[in-house]
Amino acid sequence: MLELCRHAVGAARSLGADYADARVMEIRNQHLATEDQRVSGVHDAESMGIGVRVIVAGAWGFSATSRLTRPDAERAVRQAVEIARSGAAARATRELHWADEPPHVAEYRTPVRKDPFAVPVEDKIGLLLEVNKRALGVKGVTKCYSHMHFRRQHRWLATSEGAAIESDVCTSTACCTATAVNGTTAKQRYLEATPCNIGYEHIEQTPFLEEAERVGAEAVEHLSAKSCPSGQKDLILLPSHLALTMHESIGHATELDRAIGMEESLAGSSFATPDQIGKLKYGSPMMNVVADNTLPVGCASMGFDDDAVECQRYDLVREGMLAGFMCSRDTAHAMDAARSNGSCRADSWGSIPIVRQSNFSLEPGEAPLTLEELIADTKDGILIDGMGSFSIDQKRYNFQFGGDCFWEIKNGKLAGMLKDVTYWAITTDFWGSLDAICDRRFWEPIGVMNCGKGDPMQIAQMSHCTAPARFRQINVGPANR
Amino acid sequence: MDEAQAVEILESLLKHVDADGAEASFHSGARFTARFADNRLTQNVQAENATVSLAVSYGQRHGGASTNDLSPESLKALAERAQAAARVSPPDPEHMPPVTPEEAGEYSQVEAWDEATAALPAGERIEAVCAAMKDVEAAGYRLSGAHTSSAGLHVLMNSAGVRCAHRSTESELHCTALGDHGSGWAQATSVRDADIDTAGVAREALEIARAAQHPTDIEPGRYTVILRPAAVWEMIPFYLVCDAKATDEGRTCLRGKLGTQIVDERVTLRSEPAFAACPGAPFQGDGMASSGLSWIGGGVLKHLCTSRYWARQSKRLATGWPSNLIFDGGEASLEELIASTERGILVTRFWYIRDVDPMESLLTGMTRDGLFLIEDGKISRPLIQLRFNDSVLGCLNRLEAIGQCERVENTYVPALKIRDFNFASKTKF
Ligand SMILES: [Zn+2]
């Protein structure tokens, strides 16, 4: 396949492209879904194709086809060059900057101990049905859905600069959702093997069978939980929940293409702009956010991005101050960076690479601190687990989040479950109220598989890592106030 | 690829199948997008793909697979993969055998194809977009957006003798005009590229942006709102079509409400595959004819989305899922809706709507790209964007007036005037 990529790149150069890259991807997705004691779907999808990206006379062109013969690849090259020329002729392209990167010749492979596609379908289904059975065994649970999803992305990338990269990335996840229904409403609770770049061992290490009954019981308990009081409360957010708040209020806000207006019409822009690096107070001094596409289990880790830039680790927020953005080779200049930090990815062979969120981490606290100690230190608060409702404005200021499960904290102790909890804040106020983070022992990656961005929309995956953390005096209440 | 080639591929695929039941479908598509930001072209992207999917069953055991490698070896492997999955799956009591031609019903004649659009004239699109950007730039504003033209073919064959095909084109443009202190937005969608007035859409976004400069605060609370069609599209129709099984099991906001008045009696929400201004698909993914029916008629919940299995269980019509949604409009123009409002807020569109409590149809979301205060029947000033928390059913029970319709994506929806709409918090721009 690298040969076909090199051939396409050569063809583009001979048609006058100043730069060209060609990327073949073979993507396989396996979904297994169950509802109660039935298998609702087993589907195995594979998709393969080539995408060719060129710069001609300062304008970009991209064309992709699912046909992988040389003549078809050449046709895609001609189309890419042609639409780049149309763009150049219209004299309305923006000035092109293209950050240097050594031409890597390399391979990358997700460390996988057990290939999930080689595990027999009946074994996977068997586990899902058993999980459902145990959750449904809890009185009051009337519905249980569970599913597994495995993704393999095999990529070959060649550039006119001489880069030649092969990567083979494997992602695994599973989730079980129990629903309890009474006469008036329904409540759900989920248990997840969070998406990670890893093999089936991840599913085996997640205590689905051990925890299924607890998950069912918590769904039932949620039905009769006390409604959320309105007011200001201290929030202790578990990694399973905080990851999404980080994704929305830090991740999207520090995508450089958004920050410079390139995503205005769809995803929006950002309150953070490159001129504020080192000046914008993003949060409290204990807030350190580090992007890391070298983290092996991180869903964005692929060795090299689709700009053929080596994956890196870099700062986004340092001691509460904005420190950087995630970028691509053609946006790095906007923050005066000589080199891209390798955050440019496409969701398939048929999509053009764009700036995507890296894996990133809220660095854990340095002093030893357990979740129990943090709860014991909190007088009047709410503990939130799991992802629920989430919404944020297009500049990433005003957000409102729900969650999957909530417990009141009174005088250092958990004091029963709450329902209808939402909290809302302005991003910088929220991060400014961060006053405690548990230590590295409690730090974990949480994967996101459905991040939408771009136009046409592309769906990307990445991970956000954190330990439980506390935020002081946040507005909470039921949303229908 | 044309229909005949697709049929040939599906026929050769079905030859490899020994399962009791089989359903094979072919989807191909090509699209071109001219994307722009800040008065400059940013991405010109073309892509084509063709995928074959196969679902097979042995009695009640079923499995599926798909591929976009259409070589003979790959089709054979596809059949083997789907059959292998089906063989090891436990019997599914809800599995239904492939649809028969009698059961499928009659397909609507849907005109959704335009040859000129299918040709994806990239150069013309780029020129039109560039001309619009020059106009907006001359006015001192920045234009961002995307114009996507696409063409698709869907062919379906099953072992019970169903064979159907549908091809469609679509052209969609959306533009954001940005000033230093506020933005405006407009869109247009049609089967035909020629219907899209690129300069006109850009001008509409520009006019809204001009009026939106230097917004000022208003305290969150309950206000009468006028939602323009794009705002209605995002907030209303999709939350009113619920799965019948989940609803009957008490897990949706429409539980126990079939046949009852759920919203204002002026509300009718329906599907009509052959609706010219916003055509749907003539058949569903399983080959059943797409229904032309009212989900809500005169404010009464008439139908839930009912699968073939659940139709049999509940002795109701198998409706499948809607491929288009039409919210019947009224006579009032937007200007008339504004003129009839003593005090209210005009919403251009929403952003990032999510469920807060799906059991109560309670949603949250932000306003975006043009929010205005109306006083004494006139727009008095632009407002800082607000977050709402309100329920879809609640809003449609507080309906004041229904305006004229517009196509937005695969819906045809009116502007709506709603009283006591709940804004919960504000942002900073
Ligand atoms: Zn996202």
Side-chain angles (χ1 to χ4, degrees):
Chain A
M1 284 302 161
L2 268 176
E3 222 17 74
L4 183 67
C5 293
R6 285 200 190 94
H7 177 74
V9 165
R13 291 285 281 165
S14 68
L15 288 172
D18 299 313
Y19 169 86
D21 58 41
R23 183 168 44 87
V24 169
M25 282 183 84
E26 182 182 14
I27 305 167
R28 186 169 174 198
N29 280 291
Q30 185 179 70
H31 291 273
L32 304 104
T34 62
E35 175 190 10
D36 299 337
Q37 284 306 287
R38 78 182 188 98
V39 177
S40 50
V42 176
H43 194 90
D44 203 313
E46 58 178 32
S47 177
M48 202 169 177
I50 183 167
V52 181
R53 188 169 65 149
V54 300
I55 299 173
V56 181
W60 282 110
F62 177 87
S63 182
T65 178
S66 54
R67 304 186 199 193
L68 285 172
T69 66
R70 278 193 170 207
D72 286 307
E74 288 164 9
R75 190 167 51 88
V77 168
R78 282 195 303 276
Q79 279 168 350
V81 169
E82 196 178 305
I83 57 181
R85 281 197 201 289
S86 298
R91 294 173 193 274
T93 51
R94 70 198 163 104
E95 197 186 340
L96 190 78
H97 302 265
W98 190 241
D100 282 341
E101 178 73 13
H104 304 283
V105 177
E107 282 184 28
Y108 177 83
R109 224 166 278 278
T110 299
V112 167
R113 286 214 298 278
K114 197 165 180 180
D115 175 6
F117 293 94
V119 174
V121 166
E122 51 270 45
D123 292 3
K124 297 182 246 193
I125 289 172
L127 174 61
L128 293 175
L129 291 175
E130 181 60 27
V131 172
N132 290 1
K133 187 174 161 193
R134 293 191 185 194
L136 287 163
V138 176
K139 191 167 177 281
V141 174
T142 59
K143 181 62 59 180
C144 193
Y145 290 102
S146 60
H147 76 267
M148 290 185 194
H149 177 197
F150 305 102
R151 176 180 288 165
R152 191 174 159 204
Q153 303 181 76
H154 200 160
R155 174 187 62 157
W156 297 264
L157 170 65
T159 73
S160 56
E161 294 163 342
I165 291 161
E166 182 178 351
S167 63
D168 193 355
V169 168
C170 175
T171 311
S172 300
T173 182
C175 186
C176 155
T177 305
T179 304
V181 175
N182 61 16
T184 53
T185 193
K187 291 289 179 194
Q188 298 185 337
R189 179 80 171 119
Y190 76 83
L191 171 66
E192 188 179 51
T194 188
C196 283
N197 281 2
I198 196 170
Y200 193 77
E201 62 272 16
H202 181 46
I203 309 298
E204 293 177 330
Q205 287 158 4
T206 304
F208 279 107
L209 296 175
E210 297 79 352
E211 300 284 329
E213 288 177 19
R214 172 186 62 80
V215 166
E218 287 177 349
V220 176
E221 188 185 349
H222 201 158
L223 282 174
S224 52
K226 199 165 88 171
S227 195
C228 179
S230 290
Q232 295 195 323
K233 300 266 180 200
D234 293 346
L235 299 182
I236 297 179
L237 305 180
L238 297 179
S240 59
H241 174 85
L242 183 52
L244 187 59
T245 310
M246 291 163 60
H247 178 91
E248 300 293 352
S249 68
I250 304 173
H252 282 306
T254 55
E255 292 164 338
L256 189 53
D257 58 341
R258 286 181 74 114
I260 61 173
M262 309 314 291
E263 292 285 317
E264 179 62 51
S265 72
L266 209 99
S269 58
S270 175
F271 70 91
T273 48
D275 55 302
Q276 294 171 303
I277 291 175
K279 297 176 197 147
L280 173 73
K281 188 170 182 298
Y282 213 109
S284 77
M286 71 167 51
M287 181 190 189
N288 289 295
V289 180
V290 180
D292 188 359
N293 284 341
T294 68
L295 181 76
V297 298
C299 291
S301 297
M302 54 201 288
F304 302 83
D305 75 357
D306 288 331
D307 275 348
V309 174
E310 191 168 16
C311 285
Q312 297 160 43
R313 199 180 137 84
Y314 55 95
D315 286 343
L316 293 172
V317 178
R318 175 74 11 214
E319 294 177 353
M321 303 300 286
L322 176 68
F325 287 83
M326 313 185 231
C327 73
S328 57
R329 291 178 75 178
D330 70 343
T331 55
H333 69 96
M335 58 173 188
D336 297 326
R339 187 188 180 203
S340 163
N341 52 37
S343 305
C344 188
R345 312 195 293 281
D347 70 349
S348 114
W349 53 266
S351 304
I352 191 167
I354 57 174
V355 175
R356 297 309 307 232
Q357 286 189 37
S358 304
N359 307 312
F360 67 87
S361 156
L362 175 65
E363 291 297 275
E366 302 210 333
L369 179 65
T370 66
L371 177 61
E372 290 69 28
E373 288 164 346
L374 186 56
I375 292 171
D377 182 51
T378 303
K379 270 207 171 62
D380 181 25
I382 300 175
L383 175 71
I384 304 183
D385 183 31
M387 299 177 190
S389 171
F390 56 103
S391 173
I392 186 164
D393 73 46
Q394 88 270 18
K395 291 191 185 182
R396 307 275 145 182
Y397 268 125
N398 172 309
F399 64 69
Q400 178 179 303
F401 286 90
D404 190 52
C405 204
F406 321 91
W407 294 267
E408 192 167 30
I409 302 169
K410 282 284 177 204
N411 299 318
K413 292 200 175 64
L414 293 183
M417 204 181 271
L418 292 174
K419 67 177 176 186
D420 305 328
V421 178
T422 59
Y423 67 93
W424 65 99
I426 295 291
T427 292
T428 43
D429 297 343
F430 175 80
W431 287 104
S433 75
L434 169 68
D435 87 329
I437 311 173
C438 292
D439 67 65
R440 188 163 290 277
R441 289 170 296 169
F442 308 96
W443 179 91
E444 54 179 309
I446 301 295
V448 172
M449 294 290 275
N450 55 353
C451 175
K453 188 183 171 189
D455 192 0
M457 180 73 83
Q458 298 188 39
I459 305 297
Q461 59 182 60
M462 67 286 295
S463 296
H464 308 304
C465 319
T466 182
R470 183 173 62 192
F471 299 82
R472 292 287 197 187
Q473 295 299 296
I474 303 298
N475 287 312
V476 301
N480 51 358
R481 64 193 175 280
Chain B
M1 234 179 270
D2 62 21
E3 187 181 329
Q5 289 168 301
V7 166
E8 202 175 299
I9 287 168
L10 294 181
E11 279 174 342
S12 70
L13 169 63
L14 288 170
K15 285 201 185 100
H16 297 297
V17 174
D18 70 7
D20 306 338
E23 186 182 282
S25 64
F26 175 97
H27 276 101
S28 68
R31 69 162 193 245
F32 171 75
T33 300
R35 195 174 186 209
F36 46 101
D38 216 359
N39 295 331
R40 296 289 177 270
L41 285 170
T42 54
Q43 291 164 7
N44 296 310
V45 175
Q46 184 153 345
E48 59 173 26
N49 193 8
T51 301
V52 176
S53 305
L54 178 67
V56 298
S57 54
Y58 296 92
Q60 298 296 105
R61 301 171 190 271
H62 60 95
S66 64
T67 184
N68 69 346
D69 177 350
L70 306 181
S71 66
E73 316 80 69
S74 167
L75 295 177
K76 185 160 187 276
L78 175 68
E80 280 162 11
R81 272 194 297 147
Q83 294 184 143
R87 280 194 203 99
V88 298
S89 287
D92 172 7
E94 299 194 10
H95 178 73
M96 298 290 286
V99 170
T100 64
E102 300 70 48
E103 192 187 0
E106 203 170 322
Y107 301 134
S108 303
Q109 286 293 322
V110 177
E111 296 300 328
W113 181 261
D114 176 55
E115 207 61 52
T117 304
L120 306 182
E124 285 172 34
R125 291 278 67 72
I126 288 171
E127 276 172 35
V129 158
C130 290
M133 288 194 294
K134 288 202 173 86
D135 291 348
V136 170
E137 190 166 21
Y141 284 74
R142 304 188 293 279
L143 195 71
S144 299
H147 193 152
T148 299
S149 307
S150 60
L153 169 67
H154 180 195
V155 182
L156 187 137
M157 293 173 75
N158 73 20
S159 55
V162 163
R163 179 173 146 179
C164 48
H166 177 57
R167 53 181 200 160
S168 59
T169 57
E170 190 176 288
S171 182
E172 195 269 346
L173 168 70
H174 54 268
C175 288
T176 305
L178 198 68
D180 291 340
H181 305 280
S183 56
W185 182 89
Q187 69 89 35
T189 309
S190 174
V191 166
R192 287 163 296 277
D193 258 344
D195 291 347
I196 307 295
D197 173 7
T198 309
V201 172
R203 213 158 34 233
E204 189 185 345
L206 175 63
E207 287 318 311
I208 296 170
R210 276 190 165 129
Q213 296 303 300
H214 301 288
T216 45
D217 253 353
I218 196 163
E219 276 315 297
R222 291 198 176 262
Y223 291 88
T224 292
V225 290
I226 296 169
L227 307 181
R228 295 181 64 142
V232 171
W233 159 71
E234 201 151 5
M235 178 173 179
I236 306 286
F238 300 102
Y239 296 92
L240 295 171
V241 283
C242 291
D243 178 64
K245 183 183 176 203
T247 304
D248 290 346
E249 290 177 347
R251 296 183 285 121
T252 81
C253 64
L254 299 180
R255 63 197 179 281
K257 293 186 172 143
L258 194 61
T260 69
Q261 186 88 29
I262 57 166
V263 290
D264 187 285
E265 63 187 22
R266 288 168 288 175
V267 174
T268 290
L269 182 72
R270 59 196 176 87
S271 290
E272 184 187 330
F275 189 72
C278 178
F283 53 88
Q284 304 263 314
D286 58 6
M288 291 287 282
S290 292
S291 310
L293 53 77
S294 290
W295 306 98
I296 297 171
V300 173
L301 180 61
K302 301 274 193 188
H303 289 285
L304 295 161
C305 295
T306 312
S307 67
R308 291 165 65 219
Y309 167 75
W310 201 248
R312 193 178 69 189
Q313 294 300 107
S314 62
K315 305 202 166 41
R316 290 188 212 126
L317 183 71
T319 64
W321 283 85
S323 66
N324 64 352
L325 283 170
I326 301 149
F327 191 127
D328 282 351
E331 299 294 314
S333 67
L334 187 66
E335 292 69 31
E336 287 163 347
L337 291 177
I338 294 170
S340 70
T341 305
E342 202 173 306
R343 185 176 164 80
I345 291 177
L346 172 65
V347 179
T348 302
R349 69 162 172 146
F350 288 123
W351 163 250
Y352 225 124
I353 293 183
R354 290 290 183 279
D355 281 317
V356 174
D357 185 352
M359 296 299 291
E360 302 299 329
S361 74
L362 179 65
L363 307 178
T364 190
M366 291 295 305
T367 63
R368 185 171 175 180
D369 297 325
L371 187 71
F372 302 97
L373 184 66
I374 301 165
E375 289 175 302
D376 302 324
K378 290 194 185 69
I379 287 176
S380 60
R381 61 182 168 102
L383 298 174
I384 296 231
Q385 306 299 322
L386 296 170
R387 168 175 301 289
F388 76 88
N389 283 316
D390 209 335
S391 79
V392 176
L393 294 176
C395 284
L396 293 182
N397 276 303
R398 287 178 260 123
L399 193 60
E400 293 274 295
I402 301 179
Q404 293 166 356
C405 283
E406 206 176 279
R407 176 172 178 181
V408 187
E409 304 274 335
N410 62 339
T411 69
Y412 193 69
V413 287
L416 295 178
K417 182 169 161 183
I418 294 162
R419 67 178 174 275
D420 295 332
F421 189 82
N422 183 36
F423 288 113
S425 63
K426 61 189 168 190
T427 187
K428 293 197 154 195
F429 56 90

